Amino acid sequence: MNTTKKRILTGITTTGIPHLGNYVGSIRPAIAEAHRAFENHDGDAFFFLADYHGIIKCFDPDEIHRSTRAIAATWLACGLDPEKVIFYRQSDIPEIPELAWILNCSCAKGLMNRAHAYKAAVDMNLSKEDTDPDYGISMGLFGYPVLMAADILMFNATHVPVGKDQIQHIEMARDIAGSFNFKYKPLFVEPFAVVDENTPLLTGLDGRKMSKSYGNTIPLFGDGNPQIDPEKALKKAVMQIVTNSQPPEEPKDPEHCTIFEIYKAFGTPEEIEALATHYRRGIGWGEAKEILFNKINHEIAPYRERYLHLMNNPKELEEILQMGATKARRVAQKQLDKTRRAIGIKPLAKLKS
Ligand code: TRP
């Protein structure tokens, strides 16, 4: 029998500046789902900035710091209500790395050997001559899934919205919960990954999946540089979308067109159909880009002001994060206390004060 309430939890690694693909694929659907759960009294939600995951792959302190600020400002600007969702920074909850250590001690090394990200790094090394298989692989990278399990199990999350590449990590969190529960005491809920097949994977400027690593992203609120007007940056990026050389009047196929692909993530079904008709009758690429820009801008312009305000007022951001940390720690301290007792770490006697 499962009487646990739905608890949604997800982490955002603090590297990079959020782009349009992050917005469509994660920020927009996650906020909608969390607020829905809150309003229907159907569960609660924990969202956090995974900065201890950030330092696994990024060794630039300024980038970690800048990215943490931009990601926090972005989620709040896009409507995340910190009264409805517990929004915090992983490193403000010292109980999480403590739990990670405890879980490390009952997690089989062999399980970590099978992690895709670690295996890919080893395979890359093996493909090069004279390279140690573990070259460049830190213990942090190797143990990444255990820290992630601690993030999730600490709060007994039931639903973890993630991208496809993270499914294996959630399965590992289930395994880790299961082996602790079996060895000691059933303290941890086994979480499920939630991968929404309906959430579009946004196409990037060059027609491949939009991704920071391809350098083909459209900025959401500019690139974090205050010198650049974010609306102009959006327009400039949309104008850079790669198209073919068909002349304006020629009928065009809306499928396999990056402009249309992105439009689909923003338009209503009627608007999408109308644009498809326009394509089939003939549309100039300049005009199509203009339509796309206006559509995206219409949705995100209202968020931009709040983003800039928060970016310029880091105190306000910090206060919101501290409020979230206080709430999250209350839950974490209880769970860690139970966990420590279960493994035999507890006071030897009660001392009278
Ligand atoms: N590893 C996740 C990613 O790269 C981020 C993350 C860290 C996370 N801890 C988490 C996601 C816990 C969900 C739950 O996307």
Side-chain angles (χ1 to χ4, degrees):
M1 192 179 60
N2 185 3
T3 50
T4 2
K5 244 190 159 185
K6 178 173 183 174
R7 173 162 286 172
I8 306 164
L9 176 143
T10 199
I12 312 112
T13 305
T14 56
T15 52
I17 305 291
H19 56 70
L20 207 63
N22 302 136
Y23 173 73
V24 165
S26 145
I27 302 171
R28 190 174 62 180
I31 294 175
E33 177 58 20
H35 286 183
R36 199 179 307 128
F38 178 87
E39 266 129 37
N40 298 341
H41 306 284
D42 171 26
D44 54 13
F46 287 60
F47 291 172
F48 67 96
L49 305 161
D51 49 355
Y52 277 146
H53 280 101
I55 61 164
I56 292 173
K57 45 189 172 188
C58 172
F59 301 97
D60 176 350
D62 291 336
E63 150 126 26
I64 293 285
H65 193 246
R66 198 173 339 116
S67 168
T68 302
R69 177 156 146 190
I71 294 174
T74 299
W75 281 73
L76 291 165
C78 291
L80 178 87
D81 181 346
E83 299 292 338
K84 295 182 182 167
V85 176
I86 299 188
F87 187 52
Y88 56 101
R89 179 169 44 201
Q90 184 185 35
S91 60
D92 285 333
I93 321 292
E95 291 78 11
I96 292 172
E98 271 189 76
L99 178 62
W101 176 256
I102 296 172
L103 297 176
N104 260 310
C105 296
S106 54
C107 173
K109 173 174 177 287
L111 183 67
M112 294 300 103
N113 288 342
R114 291 194 285 277
H116 299 317
Y118 167 69
K119 274 187 8 193
V122 172
D123 287 347
M124 174 80 121
N125 286 332
L126 289 174
S127 71
K128 294 181 198 146
E129 231 173 287
D130 287 336
T131 304
D132 185 277
D134 280 325
Y135 176 78
I137 298 173
S138 68
M139 287 302 292
L141 178 70
F142 186 65
Y144 185 112
V146 181
L147 179 57
M148 195 161 151
D151 290 332
I152 300 168
L153 303 183
M154 179 58 99
F155 300 101
N156 278 326
T158 55
H159 294 67
V160 185
V162 282
K164 281 205 181 83
D165 60 323
Q166 298 292 318
I167 295 175
Q168 190 196 29
H169 293 150
I170 311 303
E171 279 161 6
M172 289 176 157
R174 297 175 61 83
D175 283 349
I176 292 170
S179 49
F180 184 98
N181 290 346
F182 178 74
K183 211 175 275 173
Y184 295 107
K185 215 175 167 189
L187 288 183
F188 297 109
V189 170
E190 294 186 19
F192 286 100
V194 184
V195 180
D196 187 355
E197 298 293 341
N198 298 322
T199 304
L201 262 187
L202 219 56
T203 315
L205 296 177
D206 58 359
R208 292 185 291 174
K209 176 190 166 220
M210 189 179 291
S211 157
K212 183 186 159 215
S213 51
Y214 293 148
N216 64 356
T217 59
I218 295 178
L220 181 56
F221 301 126
D223 61 358
N225 178 348
Q227 253 61 35
I228 294 169
D229 173 353
E231 186 171 323
K232 282 199 185 121
L234 173 65
K235 187 153 197 175
K236 189 168 159 221
V238 169
M239 295 305 154
Q240 281 168 349
I241 295 174
V242 176
T243 50
N244 61 24
S245 55
Q246 281 177 290
E249 62 290 348
E250 203 173 296
K252 296 182 175 62
D253 180 8
E255 299 308 320
H256 319 294
C257 168
T258 303
I259 303 170
F260 191 75
E261 275 305 312
I262 300 175
Y263 190 83
K264 282 202 282 192
F266 290 90
T268 62
E270 296 75 33
E271 288 168 335
I272 296 167
E273 197 36 51
L275 185 63
T277 307
H278 199 154
Y279 264 66
R280 291 189 199 101
R281 290 205 192 114
I283 188 171
W285 292 132
E287 188 184 355
K289 287 177 179 178
E290 193 71 36
I291 292 172
L292 174 62
F293 164 75
N294 286 328
K295 189 77 223 157
I296 301 172
N297 200 42
H298 180 74
E299 181 164 326
I300 69 172
Y303 303 148
R304 208 176 273 139
E305 208 174 311
R306 174 132 174 89
Y307 173 79
L308 294 172
H309 172 81
L310 290 169
M311 285 300 275
N312 292 323
N313 293 277
K315 260 199 184 151
E316 228 173 280
L317 276 177
E318 189 58 36
E319 267 165 19
I320 294 172
L321 291 177
Q322 290 311 320
M323 182 181 89
T326 303
K327 293 184 199 163
R329 275 196 90 178
R330 232 176 270 144
V331 182
Q333 279 165 345
K334 276 198 195 129
Q335 180 72 354
L336 182 66
D337 187 57
K338 283 192 213 158
T339 310
R340 290 168 54 140
R341 285 172 186 277
I343 60 175
I345 294 183
K346 55 185 175 185
L348 303 176
K350 235 188 194 157
L351 295 183
K352 280 208 189 100
S353 54

